[in-house]
């Protein structure tokens, strides 16, 4: 996961979470990572292809400080549109634009 924010805020993203229903996975916290942290982490979700395609993955970007977390942005990653690209040959790189700010870049694969 690579994050790019618009740089308007002073908060630096430190954690990203993704959740296809009902599972939830979270990256490690990257303290003092500035406004463009990079997480090269695998978020592995188990389930049938049908269940994974039934609803978008909900994504959250957090600024985690001791004792509190601030939501910087949320978005959705629909997997169904990526299936055709994946079937052509391997993992697919895509981006999720977050509200109110930020972009998360993902590499998605089915194995």
């Amino acid at each position: 996961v690579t994050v790019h924010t618009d740089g308007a805020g002073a908060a630096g993203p430190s954690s990203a979470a993704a959740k296809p229903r009902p599972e939830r996975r979270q990256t490690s916290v990257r303290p003092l990572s500035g406004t463009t942290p990079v997480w090269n982490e695998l978020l592995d979700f188990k389930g049938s292809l049908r269940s994974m395609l039934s609803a978008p993955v909900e994504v959250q970007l957090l600024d985690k400080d001791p004792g509190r977390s601030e939501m910087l942005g949320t978005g959705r990653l629909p997997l169904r549109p990526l299936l055709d690209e994946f079937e052509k040959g391997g993992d697919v790189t895509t981006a999720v634009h977050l509200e109110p700010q930020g972009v998360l870049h993902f590499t998605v694969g089915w194995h």
Side-chain angles (χ1 to χ4, degrees):
V1 178
T2 305
V3 179
H4 299 284
T5 62
D6 63 7
S14 60
S15 179
K19 179 179 85 167
R21 294 180 184 119
E23 295 183 77
R24 183 182 199 291
R25 300 287 185 271
Q26 182 170 327
T27 65
S28 60
V29 175
R30 298 275 189 241
L32 304 174
S33 57
T35 59
T36 56
V38 175
W39 295 271
N40 287 319
E41 298 182 28
L42 176 66
L43 301 177
D44 188 23
F45 297 96
K46 298 192 183 327
S48 69
L49 183 58
R50 175 183 232 164
S51 68
M52 291 300 201
L53 297 177
S54 66
V57 175
E58 296 174 14
V59 179
Q60 300 174 340
L61 182 63
L62 307 169
D63 179 20
K64 289 197 164 212
D65 293 317
R68 69 179 186 98
S69 294
E70 178 185 356
M71 180 74 64
L72 297 179
T74 62
R76 292 176 172 238
L77 172 61
L79 297 177
R80 184 171 298 281
L82 304 178
L83 185 58
D84 289 339
E85 285 299 313
F86 175 73
E87 288 176 341
K88 290 179 186 175
D91 296 345
V92 178
T93 300
T94 189
V96 175
H97 294 270
L98 305 176
E99 291 296 329
Q101 67 175 346
V103 178
L104 287 173
H105 296 266
F106 290 89
T107 300
V108 179
W110 286 267
H111 303 281

